[in-house]
């Protein structure tokens, strides 16, 4: 098996992001309010405690994401009802969420995306935080 040359994280992010359309905070908020998207906060606990939570977002730490959102998985969250579910992954600044969204695509969640700028962009846009 041939081994590919290393590409670096910036190139990897560019590659995975080219496979789907990212959304900004206003788009994510509108989709959530319309019932067309599940917001999934993958930030670790210290960041959630420091900065707050998005009301209604499902909190799933990154290391559990695939197990909790796989509609066929035995450890899935009740919200993980279908591969057609539109999932918006939210990390702190919009980097880890891109890799997480790509992983969800690999599981067949073809509508998965992530929030450009992450939670910090959501908060800066003045959107709800508790």
């Amino acid at each position: 098996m041939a081994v590919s040359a290393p590409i670096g994280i910036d190139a990897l992010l560019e590659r995975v992001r080219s496979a789907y359309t990212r959304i900004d905070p206003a788009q994510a908020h509108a989709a959530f309010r319309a019932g067309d998207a599940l917001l999934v906060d993958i930030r670790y606990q210290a960041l959630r405690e420091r900065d707050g939570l998005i009301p209604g977002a499902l909190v799933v730490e990154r290391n559990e994401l695939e197990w909790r959102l796989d509609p066929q998985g035995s450890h899935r969250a009740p919200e993980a009802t279908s591969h057609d579910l539109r999932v918006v992954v939210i990390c702190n600044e919009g980097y880890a969420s891109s890799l997480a969204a790509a992983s969800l695509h690999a599981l067949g969640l073809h509508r998965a995306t992530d929030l450009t700028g992450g939670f910090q962009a959501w908060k800066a846009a003045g959107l709800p935080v508790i």
Side-chain angles (χ1 to χ4, degrees):
M1 178 161 110
V3 176
S4 300
I7 63 169
I9 189 62
D10 293 330
L12 178 60
L13 281 171
E14 186 176 324
R15 179 188 300 167
V16 300
R17 288 173 175 168
S18 71
Y20 62 90
T21 302
R22 301 177 81 206
I23 62 174
D24 66 31
Q27 293 169 315
H29 187 246
F32 174 70
R33 290 196 57 189
D36 185 42
L38 174 65
L39 304 180
V40 180
D41 185 344
I42 63 168
R43 295 174 301 140
Y44 53 89
Q45 184 174 352
L47 288 177
R48 295 190 313 267
E49 289 173 357
R50 182 189 78 187
D51 295 334
L53 298 167
I54 296 171
L58 176 65
V59 174
V60 179
E61 291 205 17
R62 176 63 189 98
N63 63 324
E64 298 179 0
L65 183 69
E66 292 81 1
W67 284 266
R68 303 290 288 149
L69 290 182
D70 178 3
Q72 299 175 337
S74 59
H75 298 291
R76 67 177 161 70
E79 295 87 350
T81 57
S82 164
H83 285 95
D84 291 327
L85 182 65
R86 184 177 187 195
V87 175
V88 179
V89 183
I90 303 166
C91 68
N92 194 48
E93 294 182 346
Y95 295 99
S97 58
S98 295
L99 300 175
S103 182
L104 294 178
H105 275 259
L107 282 175
L109 290 153
H110 62 97
R111 296 180 69 208
T113 187
D114 75 313
L115 183 65
T116 304
F119 179 86
Q120 296 305 322
W122 177 281
K123 191 172 181 178
L127 294 169
V129 174
I130 55 173

